[in-house]
Amino acid sequence: MIRTENLTKVYRMGEVEVQALRDVNLEIQDGEFIAIAGPSGSGKSTLLNMMGCLDKPTSGAIFIDDIDTGMLSENKLAEIRREKIGFIFQQFNLIHTLNALENVALPMFFAGVGRETRLKRAEELLAKVGLEDRVDHKPSELSGGEQQRMAIARALSNDPEIIIGDEPTGNVDTEAGNVIMDILEGLNREGRTIIVVTHDAEIAARAGRTKRMRDGKVLD
Amino acid sequence: MGDVFSLVYRNIRERKGRSVLTILGITVGIGAVIALISIGYGMQESITAELIEMADVIMVTPMSMEFGSFGAFGSFTDRDLEAVKRIGGVKEAVAMRGVTEDIEYRGETFRVEVVGIEPRDMGAVFGETVKLEEGGDDGGGTTGRELRDNDHKACEIGYSIAYDYFSDEIGVNDRLTINGSKFRVVGVLEKQGGFRSDVDSQIYVTTRDAMTILDNDDISIIFVRVRNIADAEEIAAEIEERIDDNHKLDDFTSAMTMGSAVEQLEFIFGTIQVVLLAITSISLIVASLVIMNTMLMSVMERTHEIGVMKAIGAKNRNILSLFLLEVGVVSAIGGVFGCIFGVIGAHAMSFGLQTALDVEIAAIVKPEVLLGGVAVAMLVGVLSGLYPARKASKMSPVEAVRYE
């Protein structure tokens, strides 16, 4: 379960202070598929970064499975990202020097999984997202949709409970976007919590619940 | 580890041009150090090898003598020579009467060291190390002959005297004027070089001629050979004591065994090598700066990638070790190339010294120096990479991911 308590984030851009999040209170249950929608600058990516343990709040708190992540060291946060969370980015963010198999195996390497095991599992995960015949391909040799599927396989690498997608379909065509959503729905059916940021109403409609954000606040 | 190495390998290849330049920087630094060390060992070896051949020798001089030159701090007497000969364990003691004289040949004059010695003693002094030059003007065989006891106004000349000093070469039966008297050359000594290069610039006459014609009674060196090398130090001490007693002086005599000469030389060469190494280390410092610069650029370029790796679970130390591994691999490659170029460089220097200066110094490449070279390369690399790698590892994931 993810729970925020008066979560507030303030960025300093030189002289200017930007209130990215203002007193956000939100609860996401295990196994939920939630979409967070809103215009750009509404703070949804900031919220996602907080829930993904990439960033710490300025004030307030965010709990992941009742752990106050604001109190954790950088190393502990890295561990949570590694074990509990799978990230999917709009820009895919694959390592372009590595092929599909190696990209997918990378989080397992950071987790200290043995080479044999991680390569075998990476292969299985690529098959799961329909990329079994792209194992040796570099990201640049694949289409946007395929790259995003590779990124999903990578997100699944350490079998996380939570998948976080920041506009996961934002950079692919509608058809590929639907495939990605199908995969995410499948993962949700496996019991994983899926949190997706989007400003695409159609995508948001496929989630179990949608929260709207504006000016750093969660509406409703 | 396999895929990490492949990640590291691909990162190195990805920035091929820059990696090559970094490797080159290390190669030059390590190569220079290895070349200098190897030539230094060669230098040391060539000189100490000669000295070790003469391990049974004690050189007795008035005051501490500098290598190869006869001291100008007083002299010994025949009484001293007799005293030395009486010391137990002394096999031979030879008196040499050296004095610098004007030598004139075909209108040219040089000041040269003329040494008076008993012809029969020359073997004791030079052993097999000084030979009459092979071949020569008389076509085959030796150039002339050795001095004999009954020679009068005859001399044997060093190689440089024969070929280098005067415009015209001096051969057997040519006549030189030494301090106004004509001497006939009976033999030309073989080229010595190295530690014994002083012999090349000397002229040898009989003791009788030295005393009567050149009016030189003073013994400048007593050359001693001992029966047992193990006793050399002890005998040297006794020689100093006896001669000092004769002259009623303290510390008048210096009796140096070749063993202690070797030690001294080794110390001198050690010092020279340290100085050379210090100078060469500058190239290592430059290499280190090159690495640091390259790594910093690389870290900046890969900010986004670092952010992604952190987002998918990399800890700071994962990032740190990734960058250190990368710089370690690059430096190890540089180190290996440095060894190769160092060895080539050392042999090239050896060849250069031989052709340009006619000095024979074989480069001595020690395996431990090569291993050390690679180790130093990696150490320099990792130390220089530490700051950039730490910088990379400390990046905030959210900012790094956002960085394009």
Side-chain angles (χ1 to χ4, degrees):
Chain A
M1 191 182 71
I2 302 174
R3 181 166 52 92
T4 70
E5 266 175 23
N6 301 326
L7 186 65
T8 299
K9 182 71 184 182
V10 180
Y11 288 115
R12 291 196 67 89
M13 310 274 273
E15 293 292 299
V16 193
E17 277 193 355
V18 181
Q19 281 248 330
L21 292 178
R22 300 163 198 256
D23 292 322
V24 172
N25 289 294
L26 185 67
E27 239 182 62
I28 298 169
Q29 301 301 324
D30 287 344
E32 230 187 309
F33 190 154
I34 181 169
I36 298 168
S40 58
S42 60
K44 51 191 199 304
S45 286
T46 306
L47 179 60
L48 210 63
N49 288 338
M50 297 289 165
M51 292 193 288
C53 293
L54 285 177
D55 213 346
K56 288 184 178 184
T58 310
S59 69
I62 177 161
F63 297 88
I64 294 177
D65 292 342
D66 292 323
I67 301 162
D68 184 352
T69 60
M71 309 304 268
L72 297 179
S73 68
E74 268 189 64
N75 259 342
K76 275 283 172 212
L77 287 176
E79 260 169 43
I80 292 185
R81 290 197 295 268
R82 202 178 69 194
E83 308 298 338
K84 292 193 180 227
I85 295 163
F87 263 102
I88 307 166
F89 303 91
Q90 182 177 6
Q91 308 290 341
F92 322 134
N93 286 350
L94 298 158
I95 309 292
H96 64 287
T97 46
L98 298 181
N99 65 26
L101 195 67
E102 291 161 334
N103 260 295
V104 174
L106 196 57
M108 289 185 273
F109 166 72
F110 293 135
V113 177
R115 181 180 162 80
E116 291 274 305
T117 319
R118 63 179 190 256
L119 291 184
K120 190 164 166 285
R121 179 161 165 78
E123 218 165 326
E124 287 166 8
L125 288 170
L126 282 168
K128 185 171 180 167
V129 297
L131 291 177
E132 57 271 31
D133 52 350
R134 295 285 192 267
V135 168
D136 299 326
H137 287 62
K138 294 271 177 66
S140 58
E141 295 160 355
L142 300 180
S143 72
E146 285 172 321
Q147 288 190 53
Q148 194 59 300
R149 275 143 65 196
M150 196 203 289
I152 294 173
R154 181 180 67 181
L156 292 171
S157 184
N158 287 320
D159 197 16
E161 299 153 26
I162 304 161
I163 302 284
I164 291 179
D166 190 353
E167 305 269 11
T169 58
N171 249 7
V172 299
D173 58 42
T174 317
E175 201 188 320
N178 282 327
V179 174
I180 288 160
M181 287 309 289
D182 289 345
I183 295 172
L184 291 179
E185 278 171 353
L187 295 175
N188 182 233
R189 278 194 296 276
E190 289 173 8
R192 293 180 221 268
T193 309
I194 314 286
I195 307 165
V196 173
V197 154
T198 183
H199 52 243
D200 183 334
E202 251 179 81
I203 297 293
R206 293 181 70 164
R209 177 161 70 121
T210 303
K211 278 282 173 188
R212 305 201 67 80
M213 285 189 76
R214 181 160 296 157
D215 299 330
K217 291 191 168 188
V218 175
L219 306 178
D220 308 331
Chain B
M1 279 307 271
D3 23 342
V4 177
F5 270 113
S6 83
L7 178 61
V8 163
Y9 168 71
R10 277 172 221 176
N11 279 332
I12 292 169
R13 262 194 44 180
E14 174 92 352
R15 293 156 182 89
K16 214 179 290 166
R18 212 183 302 155
S19 301
V20 166
L21 284 178
T22 313
I23 289 170
L24 210 61
I26 302 165
T27 301
V28 169
I30 295 293
V33 171
I34 285 178
L36 265 173
I37 292 180
S38 301
I39 216 70
Y41 277 133
M43 210 183 281
Q44 202 168 333
E45 183 71 18
S46 71
I47 291 179
T48 49
E50 277 180 60
L51 285 177
I52 284 162
E53 252 176 52
M54 299 167 62
D56 59 341
V57 167
I58 300 174
M59 294 274 248
V60 188
T61 53
M63 290 301 289
S64 29
M65 176 197 81
E66 283 169 46
F67 272 110
S69 67
F70 287 100
F73 308 99
S75 54
F76 300 131
T77 60
D78 284 322
R79 190 171 153 233
D80 297 332
L81 180 65
E82 290 311 314
V84 171
K85 279 181 175 169
R86 278 197 301 272
I87 294 171
V90 170
K91 193 165 85 184
E92 287 163 304
V94 175
M96 297 171 82
R97 295 159 205 267
V99 69
T100 305
E101 302 279 12
D102 283 333
I103 309 298
E104 194 235 299
Y105 179 68
R106 294 191 186 167
E108 284 175 277
T109 305
F110 286 97
R111 289 189 67 74
V112 169
E113 192 128 52
V114 179
V115 178
I117 186 169
E118 295 292 350
R120 63 173 178 277
D121 285 340
M122 282 190 88
V125 174
F126 297 123
E128 285 300 301
T129 55
V130 178
K131 290 182 188 130
L132 288 163
E133 199 200 0
E134 306 251 336
D137 299 338
D138 54 352
T142 55
T143 300
R145 58 168 177 82
E146 286 180 20
L147 274 179
R148 290 175 192 146
D149 279 348
N150 58 359
D151 274 333
H152 179 58
K153 289 193 169 180
C155 63
E156 253 181 87
I157 62 176
Y159 185 90
S160 299
I161 303 285
Y163 295 107
D164 299 335
Y165 274 62
F166 298 92
S167 318
D168 293 330
E169 284 180 9
I170 306 176
V172 171
N173 292 329
D174 284 334
R175 278 166 204 280
L176 306 170
T177 309
I178 302 177
N179 197 23
S181 307
K182 288 269 184 197
F183 277 72
R184 188 169 63 89
V185 176
V186 297
V188 177
L189 289 162
E190 197 180 44
K191 184 177 173 61
Q192 300 303 302
F195 168 69
R196 312 218 64 189
S197 57
D198 53 320
V199 172
D200 293 337
S201 304
Q202 285 171 342
I203 295 178
Y204 292 86
V205 299
T206 62
T207 302
R208 196 178 54 226
D209 282 354
M211 291 169 74
T212 55
I213 300 170
L214 305 177
D215 201 19
N216 178 18
D217 290 339
D218 301 331
I219 298 172
S220 47
I221 290 186
I222 298 175
F223 189 97
V224 178
R225 278 188 191 269
V226 298
R227 286 184 207 286
N228 193 343
I229 294 165
D231 300 333
E233 291 295 338
E234 211 175 298
I235 292 170
E238 198 171 341
I239 290 171
E240 287 182 353
E241 202 177 309
R242 293 278 176 87
I243 299 179
D244 282 357
D245 279 354
N246 281 350
H247 293 261
K248 303 204 166 26
L249 287 167
D250 284 334
D251 295 332
F252 168 65
T253 316
S254 155
M256 184 157 64
T257 63
M258 285 303 138
S260 65
V262 169
E263 270 169 32
Q264 270 191 27
L265 271 181
E266 274 172 353
F267 176 75
I268 291 167
F269 278 104
T271 313
I272 292 174
Q273 269 197 336
V274 166
V275 171
L276 284 178
L277 267 182
I279 295 168
T280 334
S281 303
I282 293 171
S283 61
L284 281 181
I285 294 170
V286 172
S288 153
L289 293 175
V290 168
I291 295 169
M292 210 180 281
N293 184 38
T294 313
M295 288 292 289
L296 280 173
M297 277 171 74
S298 181
V299 164
M300 218 179 73
E301 277 180 4
R302 273 142 72 182
T303 301
H304 178 70
E305 190 180 305
I306 294 163
V308 172
M309 289 203 207
K310 286 195 148 191
I312 62 173
K315 291 186 175 181
N316 288 3
R317 63 177 167 80
N318 293 133
I319 305 290
L320 186 78
S321 51
L322 216 52
F323 276 91
L324 286 185
L325 196 61
E326 190 175 316
V327 74
V329 168
V330 167
S331 339
I333 296 171
V336 170
F337 278 117
C339 287
I340 296 169
F341 281 95
V343 171
I344 294 172
H347 287 295
M349 275 165 78
S350 163
F351 180 77
L353 283 171
Q354 177 128 36
T355 39
L357 302 171
D358 208 10
V359 181
E360 214 168 309
I361 292 169
I364 295 177
V365 180
K366 298 193 176 182
E368 59 263 35
V369 170
L370 297 184
L371 283 177
V374 177
V376 167
M378 289 181 74
L379 190 74
V380 166
V382 168
L383 284 181
S384 323
L386 207 55
Y387 167 65
R390 273 181 67 87
K391 202 173 149 148
S393 75
K394 293 244 183 264
M395 278 180 183
S396 139
V398 70
E399 279 165 34
V401 169
R402 221 182 279 145
Y403 185 94
E404 291 298 333

